């Protein structure tokens, strides 16, 4: 980075009020959402000095996409979030916007390689996509075209509260490399991290093009929101690298809209080489990070050890995201997920576990607990669950039933319900939201979604299901299969029941734990 000549400090002028009521219908009680207005991709995720920083795509002026800025929230435990002033406010906001701040990433430059640090203060450096809605000459003297996307830099010297854009040289990567220069309208979402082995910063959407990857597997839409990180394998000292990539459209089978896939392989500081079994012949399938419709643009935290790696996804879908029936905000983040690699069925597999301070918000003792050596064909009502809870459900894969499920967020007569369960013949988790409540805002919303799950080594199927006011997240097995979907049920849809179809289900255990609000 060149020496700073001129910069503009960008921040919101007013703080976020603390006494805000987060009790609106459909407001997630243990999922982050902004107090008001539009939100999409998480970006710039950084753990620094004991604080988790969550930046996100944000419209400070309305509930629909526009005026894209970087919103900001902080947490000490990935559970209780405090919304902060806008970090990067769209340039010209309030009149004619000349630059929006699209997705990117952030790092703590502890060695001050950027030269932005002053008086011993560690600079936080963000690399993001500048979107220019109009052709113009920039403060750096560079010219950009209408709708051009380029990569720029900003930095903070007060632990992320305020940011200074690097106007002397922005954009630092103005154009896509050859032979892709014609794609300047879709050149975005840089992910930057420090590569210890080569002692250099690496950017996915590269500063200096040194290698390319893909396309492989799912190719139905634009690849965006990339990530590249190292994870331990089987809890030991050996490691592998993982690339994640958003895809819009062209998500998992049965979904319409966006999704996130991943690849496992090796990275030498220059080139990512995928493992042979992570790429499928003829791009016939993909390694989906989540098999549901509402997990996209997943981003990982810089600043954590590889054993503590955490990702957060946008819990929405571009197919209908602008029309979901929430107000005065639109969109929430999925539960933060701890990521690791495990060998499952002789394949290196990404496993995900929900990571929040559960002991502070989840009941120690279940509000409902039952075991059945044999659960006969039919249904049995469980107790009322409230709106926010966790279900731990296990059963034998050798059961004679065709499917076994739990109906969640159901009305008293079960004409309204969401079904989360397992198809024994297909060895698939499923989530059925066809009767989940309000499905009127999009003709693709009332659908059933599936994800593969092989029984564990003991012949059992194990599901952990997290339910909030407007979402269901299913974690199957060791976390090798997840399925996330939004729902918009009635306020009084607080009933549940177990359902076995096509025969009996063996060795059933179900525990339901209450989860309290993190906003209190």
């Amino acid at each position: 980075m060149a020496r700073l000549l001129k910069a503009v400090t960008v921040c919101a002028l007013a703080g976020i009020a603390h006494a805000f009521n987060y009790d609106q219908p459909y407001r997630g009680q243990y999922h982050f959402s902004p107090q008001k207005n539009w939100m999409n991709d998480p970006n710039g995720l950084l753990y620094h000095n004991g604080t988790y920083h969550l930046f996100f795509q944000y419209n400070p002026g309305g509930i629909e996409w526009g005026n894209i800025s970087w919103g900001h929230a902080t947490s000490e435990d990935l559970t209780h979030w405090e919304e902060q002033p806008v970090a990067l406010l769209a340039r010209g906001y309030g009149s004619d916007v000349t630059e929006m701040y699209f997705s990117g990433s952030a790092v703590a430059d502890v060695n001050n390689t950027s030269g932005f640090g002053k008086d011993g203060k560690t600079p936080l450096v963000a690399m993001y996509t500048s979107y220019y809605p109009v052709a113009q000459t920039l403060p750096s003297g560079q010219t950009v075209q209408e709708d051009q996307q380029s990569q720029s830099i900003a930095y903070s010297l007060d632990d992320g509260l305020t940011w200074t854009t690097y106007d002397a040289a922005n954009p630092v990567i103005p154009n896509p490399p050859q032979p892709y220069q014609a794609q300047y309208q879709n050149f975005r979402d840089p992910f930057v991290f420090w590569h210890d082995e080569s002692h250099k910063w690496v950017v996915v959407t590269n500063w200096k093009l040194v290698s390319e990857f893909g396309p492989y597997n799912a190719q139905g839409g634009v690849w965006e929101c990339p990530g590249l990180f190292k994870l331990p394998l089987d809890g030991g000292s050996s490691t592998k690298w993982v690339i994640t990539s958003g895809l819009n459209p062209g998500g998992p089978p049965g979904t319409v809209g966006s999704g996130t896939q991943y690849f496992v392989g090796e990275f030498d500081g220059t080139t990512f080489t995928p493992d042979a079994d992570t790429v499928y012949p003829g791009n016939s399938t993909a390694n989906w990070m989540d098999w549901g419709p509402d997990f996209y643009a997943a981003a990982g935290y810089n600043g954590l050890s590889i054993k503590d790696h955490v990702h957060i996804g946008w819990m929405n879908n571009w197919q209908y995201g602008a029309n979901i029936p929430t107000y005065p905000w639109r969109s929430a983040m999925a539960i933060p997920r701890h990521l690791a690699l495990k060998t499952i069925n002789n394949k290196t597999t990404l496993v995900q576990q929900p990571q929040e301070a559960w002991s502070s918000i989840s009941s120690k003792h279940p509000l409902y607990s039952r075991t059945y050596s044999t659960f006969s064909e039919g249904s049995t009502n469980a107790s009322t669950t409230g709106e926010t809870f966790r279900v731990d459900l296990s059963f034998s894969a050798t059961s004679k039933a065709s499917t076994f499920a739990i109906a969640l967020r159901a009305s008293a007569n079960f004409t309204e319900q969401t079904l989360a369960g397992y198809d024994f013949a297909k060895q698939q988790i499923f989530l059925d939201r066809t009767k989940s409540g309000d499905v009127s805002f999009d003709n693709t919303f009332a659908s059933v979604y599936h994800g593969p799950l092989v029984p564990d080594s003991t012949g059992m199927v194990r599901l952990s299901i997290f339910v909030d006011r407007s979402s269901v997240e299913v974690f199957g097995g060791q976390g090798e299969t997840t399925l996330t979907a939004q729902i918009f049920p009635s306020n009084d849809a607080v009933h549940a029941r177990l359902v076995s179809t096509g025969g009996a289900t063996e060795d059933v255990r179900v525990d339901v734990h209450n989860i309290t609000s993190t906003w209190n």
Side-chain angles (χ1 to χ4, degrees):
M1 303 178 191
R3 186 177 178 85
L4 178 66
L5 298 177
K6 181 180 179 183
V8 175
T9 299
V10 184
C11 66
L13 298 179
I16 303 296
H18 293 281
F20 181 82
N21 178 13
Y22 287 89
D23 198 33
Q24 299 86 7
Y26 305 138
R27 171 80 76 173
Q29 295 301 289
Y30 59 98
H31 290 78
F32 175 77
S33 59
Q35 291 181 2
K36 61 180 182 178
N37 299 334
W38 170 268
M39 175 182 74
N40 56 282
D41 306 359
N43 43 240
L45 303 190
L46 177 64
Y47 181 74
H48 180 63
N49 286 344
T51 297
Y52 294 92
H53 293 269
L54 167 62
F55 299 94
F56 49 89
Q57 297 286 272
Y58 183 66
N59 180 3
I63 200 169
E64 297 179 347
W65 188 96
N67 306 306
I68 293 301
S69 307
W70 273 32
H72 185 201
T74 55
S75 174
E76 295 182 358
D77 59 4
L78 292 170
T79 305
H80 302 86
W81 293 96
E82 182 177 354
E83 193 170 350
Q84 302 293 343
V86 173
L88 292 167
L89 184 66
R91 196 181 297 258
Y93 173 71
S95 55
D96 295 323
V97 172
T98 60
E99 181 184 7
M100 298 189 203
Y101 301 98
F102 282 9
S103 289
S105 51
V107 295
D109 183 12
V110 294
N111 296 318
N112 197 25
T113 59
S114 63
F116 292 141
K118 294 180 180 178
D119 302 323
K121 295 180 179 178
T122 296
L124 305 186
V125 181
M127 193 173 202
Y128 56 89
T129 296
S130 292
Y131 166 65
Y132 303 103
V134 295
Q136 57 190 289
T137 299
L138 303 173
S140 64
Q142 300 182 71
T143 59
V144 291
Q145 304 177 67
E146 180 181 352
D147 292 331
Q148 181 165 335
Q149 296 180 7
S150 302
Q151 317 316 315
S152 297
I153 286 175
Y155 67 93
S156 172
L157 295 177
D158 57 6
D159 287 336
L161 184 61
T162 61
W163 291 81
T164 301
T165 55
Y166 187 33
D167 286 357
N170 278 342
V172 295
I173 312 177
N175 299 297
Q178 291 284 11
Y180 307 110
Q181 288 191 322
Q183 299 182 27
Y184 66 90
Q185 294 177 323
N186 287 290
F187 178 49
R188 57 180 177 266
D189 308 337
F191 178 73
V192 61
F193 66 97
W194 179 257
H195 186 248
D196 286 329
E197 292 83 354
S198 60
H199 303 288
K200 63 184 178 183
W201 296 105
V202 175
V203 180
V204 185
T205 301
N206 290 291
W207 199 318
K208 176 183 178 182
L209 181 64
V210 293
S211 68
E212 300 177 33
F213 175 72
Y216 297 117
N217 296 354
Q219 302 178 39
V222 174
W223 282 26
E224 59 182 358
C225 305
L228 176 61
F229 48 93
K230 184 166 60 173
L231 292 176
L233 176 61
D234 294 326
S237 58
S238 61
T239 60
K240 290 272 191 179
W241 286 81
V242 178
I243 274 185
T244 58
S245 175
L247 191 73
N248 179 44
T255 68
V256 178
S258 42
T260 301
Q261 64 177 329
Y262 73 90
F263 301 84
V264 178
E266 304 295 342
F267 179 66
D268 62 5
T270 300
T271 302
F272 178 84
T273 304
D275 291 350
D277 63 358
T278 205
V279 176
Y280 299 101
N283 306 309
S284 56
T285 186
N287 310 293
W288 293 106
M289 195 169 179
D290 191 283
W291 292 81
D294 292 309
F295 187 85
Y296 189 61
Y301 269 91
N302 278 321
L304 292 172
S305 73
I306 64 171
K307 292 183 178 180
D308 298 316
H309 191 88
V310 172
H311 253 58
I312 295 179
W314 179 49
M315 196 165 60
N316 210 340
N317 190 307
W318 284 113
Q319 168 66 22
Y320 44 73
N323 300 316
I324 60 173
T326 60
Y327 187 84
W329 82 102
R330 191 167 275 145
S331 292
M333 296 301 176
I335 294 173
R337 300 179 178 189
H338 174 265
L339 269 55
L341 293 171
K342 289 188 177 182
T343 303
I344 299 176
N345 298 320
N346 299 315
K347 181 179 179 180
T348 302
T349 303
L350 185 69
V351 295
Q352 306 170 76
Q353 289 296 327
Q355 180 159 324
E356 292 196 26
W358 298 116
S359 62
S360 69
I361 61 173
S362 182
S363 59
K364 182 177 180 181
H365 301 289
L367 59 89
Y368 178 84
S369 181
R370 294 288 188 278
T371 58
Y372 302 88
S373 58
T374 298
F375 188 98
S376 300
E377 181 176 6
S379 62
T380 296
N381 289 1
S383 65
T384 57
T385 58
E387 297 178 293
T388 57
F389 55 96
R390 181 187 91 235
V391 178
D392 293 324
L393 183 62
S394 62
F395 44 89
S396 173
T398 60
S399 301
K400 297 186 182 301
S402 55
T403 65
F404 186 66
I406 183 167
L408 308 162
R409 294 304 312 272
S411 58
N413 62 3
F414 291 91
T415 56
E416 180 178 319
Q417 63 179 7
T418 298
L419 283 168
Y422 190 73
D423 185 311
F424 291 94
K426 295 180 180 179
Q427 294 190 327
Q428 291 181 337
I429 299 171
F430 66 85
L431 198 151
D432 181 348
R433 67 178 182 187
T434 55
K435 299 177 181 179
S436 59
D438 186 355
V439 299
S440 63
F441 52 88
D442 182 83
N443 61 11
T444 71
F445 190 84
S447 299
V448 184
Y449 307 98
H450 302 85
L453 181 65
V454 175
D456 67 18
S457 59
T458 67
M460 297 293 288
V461 176
R462 304 180 193 278
L463 307 178
S464 290
I465 306 165
F466 292 79
V467 182
D468 207 338
R469 286 186 177 177
S470 59
S471 62
V472 178
E473 292 162 272
V474 184
F475 292 78
Q478 302 175 69
E480 64 267 34
T481 303
T482 67
L483 204 159
T484 300
Q486 295 180 94
I487 56 172
F488 300 98
S490 306
N491 289 341
D492 59 356
V494 293
H495 300 271
R497 68 178 177 184
L498 296 169
V499 183
S500 186
T501 59
T505 303
E506 307 296 329
D507 298 327
V508 174
R509 176 171 183 134
V510 58
D511 292 292
V512 180
H513 291 261
N514 179 57
I515 298 179
T516 60
S517 175
T518 63
W519 301 117
N520 296 333

